[in-house]
Amino acid sequence: MSFRKVVRQSKFRHVFGQPVKNDQCYDDIRVSRVTWDSTFCAVNPKFVAVIVEASGGGAFMVLPLHKTGRIDKSYPTVCGHTGPVLDIDWCPHNDHIIASGSEDCTIMVWQIPENGLTLPLTEPVVVLEGHSKRVGIITWHPTARNVLLSAGCDNVVIVWNVGTTEELYRLDDLHPDLIYNVSWNRDGSLFCSACKDKSVRIIDPRRGQIVAEKEKAHEGARPMRAIFLADGKIFTTGFSRMSERQLALWDPDNLEEPMALQELDSSNGALLPFYDPDTNVVYVCGKGDSSIRYFEITAEAPYIHFLNLFTSKEPQRGMGWMPKRGLDVNKCEIARFYKLHERKCEPIIMTVPRKSDLFQDDLYPDTAGPEAAMEAEEWVAGKTAAPILISLREAYVPTKQRDFKVNQRSLLHESRPVSASTGLSATHPSATSQSAAAPAFSIGPASGEGGQIAEEVLREVASLRALVAAQGERITRLEEQLSRIENGDV
C-alpha cells in the first residue's frame, strides 16, 4: 500500500517576501546602537519613525512614507529627551501622535505636523514622569483613546491617561525582575508580559491582579517575548536550556504544558514576533538575523505551521511593522516590514500571488480601523469593547481598463467619403455574397496625384472583387461535384 503525503491547504502557503528597489529605501540613517531589545522602528500609514544616534541626548527621526532615497544629515529629528530613546510607538487612533520612552526615565508624547518635520521638534505635547529607572517599553491601548502603558527597568508597569497626564494604574509589585515586553489582548481588557524571571504573566490592569502565570515558559536565560493572539491564546518566543531558540503556543486556561513547542536554531539574537490578527499569521524576526520566518496559527494540531522563510544578505538591527490599513491591497500585499540596517531602512513587501485583479476578500477581512471604540474614562469605569473594524475594499483601486476602440480604416484617402454598409472585410468567406451587392465607391472629380491614387485603389478593389467572385464560383462547382459523388452519380 502506498502512502501519499498530503499537503496542508492554506492560502498563505505561497506568501513570499521581496525587498523594494534601492531608490525606495531610506538611506543614510544612523540607526541607534543602544543595547536594548526594542524594534527601534515604528510605522503607520503616513510616517516611518526610526530611533537614531544622537549626541547629548536621545532622538528619533520621523519621515513621511514617500520621502525615500538619501536622507540629508541635517534632516530634523524629534530630540526632546536627555537620554537615549529606547522605544517608540504610534498611536493607533491618530496617525500624527507618537510616544517615546527613554533612559531619562520619562515618556513623551509628540504631535507630528501633517507633512512631517521641517524643524527639529523639541517640545512634546505631554511629558509623563513616574518611573525611577529607564523606560524601555511603551504601548498604546488598542481600543481606548489616550490610554498608554509604560514599563521601566524599575519593574513597574504604569497605565496612563495621556489626555489628563494622570496615572490610571500603577502595578509595582507584580514583576520581581526586568520586564522584557508587554502585549495587550484584542479588546484591551488584559495584557501579558514576559519577565527576566522566565515567567509569562496575564494581568488585569484595572483590578491590579495576575489572572494566570506560567513559570519557566522557556528555560533559557536569554530574553523572551510573549504576545496575545486574537482568540486569547498566547504565543511566546524564547530559548531552551541549551540556548536553542524556541516558539510556543499557550492556552491561558491551562498553562501547565504548551499546546505546541518548536525549536528553530541555535542563534543568539532575541526573536521579535509580529502578529496579524486578520490572517492569524505570525512573523518572527531575530535581531541580528538576516531572515524572517512566518507561521500560520490554526485551531488544529500541531497549531503552529511553518509557511516560509524570507532571507537576505544583511542582518537586521530592528524592524518596523505596517498596520493592515496601510498596505496596498491592489498588489495582494498582506504585510510590510521596515528592516533597519546599520545605515538605512529597507521596506520588505509580503504578498500572496493571485492571478485575478479583483479585490481579494479572503485575504482582507475587516480590520481594526483608526477610530477608538471608547474613551479612557469608559475603560476605567469597566467597559470593554472590541476594535471598530473597517473594510479595506475602499482602498482597492480597480486596474484601469484600456478603452475599447474600433478603428475602421478606409481604403481610400481619409478625406474621401466611404460607404460603411458592412463591417466585414472583402477577404472574409461570408463576405462573398455581400460583396456583389455592395455599392460602388464614389469619388469626386479626380485631379492630379490624388486622382491617380484613387484610380489605382479602385482598380485594386475591382480585381479583388473579381478574384473573390471567381473563388466563389469555383467553390460552388466543387460542392456540386462532391454532391454527385456522394449520390453515386459519378
Side-chain angles (χ1 to χ4, degrees):
M1 186 166 71
S2 64
F3 290 93
R4 191 160 55 95
K5 185 178 180 182
V6 178
V7 178
R8 191 182 69 87
Q9 291 296 317
S10 170
K11 56 172 120 8
F12 304 111
R13 258 181 54 223
H14 302 293
V15 174
F16 73 98
Q18 191 167 16
V20 300
K21 295 179 180 177
N22 281 335
D23 60 349
Q24 293 175 293
C25 295
Y26 307 87
D27 278 316
D28 224 9
I29 297 173
R30 294 174 299 136
V31 178
S32 174
R33 296 176 177 274
V34 68
T35 53
W36 184 253
D37 283 326
S38 166
T39 58
F40 289 167
C41 182
V43 191
N44 71 14
K46 291 186 178 179
F47 301 103
V48 52
V50 181
I51 302 174
V52 294
E53 283 285 292
S55 56
F60 60 95
M61 187 175 282
V62 176
L63 301 168
L65 287 185
H66 59 79
K67 188 172 176 57
T68 54
R70 185 180 174 276
I71 308 300
D72 195 270
K73 284 185 173 61
S74 61
Y75 192 85
T77 59
V78 181
C79 50
H81 285 286
T82 57
V85 176
L86 300 180
D87 198 14
I88 49 177
D89 194 28
W90 287 104
C91 176
H93 309 126
N94 187 330
D95 287 340
H96 294 271
I97 300 296
I98 187 169
S100 58
S102 167
E103 277 193 10
D104 63 11
C105 308
T106 64
I107 302 109
M108 295 185 179
V109 179
W110 312 83
Q111 183 159 11
I112 306 300
E114 179 68 36
N115 298 315
L117 299 178
T118 54
L119 295 169
L121 187 59
T122 57
E123 292 297 323
V125 181
V126 175
V127 179
L128 304 173
E129 296 178 314
H131 290 280
S132 59
K133 292 186 179 179
R134 59 182 182 170
V135 182
I137 299 165
I138 49 169
T139 177
W140 292 91
H141 193 283
T143 60
R145 194 189 314 275
N146 292 341
V147 176
L148 178 69
L149 180 149
S150 65
C153 293
D154 51 6
N155 310 336
V156 175
V157 175
I158 303 178
V159 180
W160 306 86
N161 182 343
V162 174
T164 61
T165 71
E166 66 176 317
E167 284 186 16
L168 297 177
Y169 305 102
R170 184 181 185 89
L171 311 173
D172 52 8
D173 55 353
L174 302 183
H175 297 88
D177 212 332
L178 180 68
I179 303 166
Y180 286 137
N181 90 302
V182 171
S183 169
W184 291 100
N185 67 351
R186 183 83 162 144
D187 59 15
S189 59
L190 304 170
F191 68 82
C192 67
S193 66
C195 184
K196 193 174 181 179
D197 67 353
K198 304 179 185 177
S199 290
V200 171
R201 295 173 176 85
I202 301 173
I203 296 170
D204 184 338
R206 289 178 289 193
R207 289 192 298 161
Q209 295 178 355
I210 297 176
V211 177
E213 181 176 358
K214 172 59 182 175
E215 296 178 0
K216 293 190 176 179
H218 295 276
E219 296 190 353
R222 294 179 182 276
M224 63 181 189
R225 289 284 190 283
I227 57 170
F228 259 115
L229 304 186
D231 60 359
K233 293 184 175 60
I234 292 177
F235 181 88
T236 62
T237 64
F239 292 81
S240 71
R241 192 180 296 166
M242 305 298 293
S243 291
E244 292 175 314
R245 298 198 290 191
Q246 294 178 324
L247 311 174
L249 185 66
W250 305 86
D251 182 353
D253 297 328
N254 180 15
L255 291 173
E256 290 298 317
E257 292 293 329
M259 297 172 62
L261 180 67
Q262 289 189 15
E263 292 190 347
L264 295 184
D265 52 33
S266 54
S267 297
N268 57 9
L271 290 170
L272 308 176
F274 296 89
Y275 172 62
D276 180 2
D278 304 327
T279 58
N280 252 358
V281 175
V282 175
Y283 302 83
V284 178
C285 313
K287 234 178 174 189
D289 289 6
S290 56
S291 61
I292 302 173
R293 295 176 174 87
Y294 22 112
F295 303 83
E296 187 176 3
I297 311 296
T298 64
E300 307 86 31
Y303 307 110
I304 302 175
H305 303 273
F306 176 74
L307 289 174
N308 212 333
L309 175 71
F310 167 79
T311 57
S312 56
K313 294 179 181 177
E314 299 292 324
Q316 52 227 16
R317 298 278 300 277
M319 194 70 75
W321 160 262
M322 174 67 80
K324 206 65 172 288
R325 57 192 174 89
L327 302 181
D328 187 349
V329 298
N330 294 284
K331 295 179 180 176
C332 294
E333 182 183 10
I334 64 165
R336 190 189 310 157
F337 289 95
Y338 286 75
K339 174 181 173 180
L340 298 186
H341 299 244
E342 195 171 341
R343 300 281 298 188
K344 77 171 180 178
C345 175
E346 175 188 41
I348 297 169
I349 294 170
M350 302 284 180
T351 52
V352 177
R354 292 285 170 93
K355 292 182 179 178
S356 172
D357 286 335
L358 300 177
F359 178 75
Q360 305 295 317
D361 298 88
D362 59 329
L363 296 183
Y364 301 106
D366 290 354
T367 191
E371 189 62 38
M374 56 186 164
E375 300 298 324
E377 293 75 16
E378 294 178 281
W379 181 73
V380 172
K383 182 179 177 182
T384 297
I388 296 176
L389 304 181
I390 59 170
S391 171
L392 294 178
R393 186 179 285 275
E394 283 71 25
Y396 169 71
V397 180
T399 52
K400 188 176 180 182
Q401 301 291 335
R402 295 182 64 180
D403 295 333
F404 180 66
K405 292 181 180 178
V406 178
N407 187 13
Q408 293 183 340
R409 300 176 65 181
S410 170
L411 291 171
L412 298 180
H413 196 268
E414 288 182 1
S415 63
R416 306 300 180 194
V418 180
S419 172
S421 62
T422 175
L424 296 170
S425 65
T427 56
H428 196 282
S430 61
T432 307
S433 59
Q434 295 177 5
S435 60
F441 290 101
S442 59
I443 59 173
S447 61
E449 189 177 348
Q452 293 176 0
I453 293 174
E455 289 175 5
E456 289 176 6
V457 170
L458 279 175
R459 282 198 295 271
E460 186 70 24
V461 169
S463 63
L464 284 171
R465 282 180 171 166
L467 181 62
V468 168
Q471 293 294 337
E473 291 174 2
R474 185 181 175 196
I475 290 171
T476 303
R477 287 197 302 271
L478 289 172
E479 286 176 343
E480 290 173 354
Q481 187 177 354
L482 181 62
S483 178
R484 288 197 300 270
I485 292 171
E486 290 174 346
N487 295 331
D489 296 340
V490 177

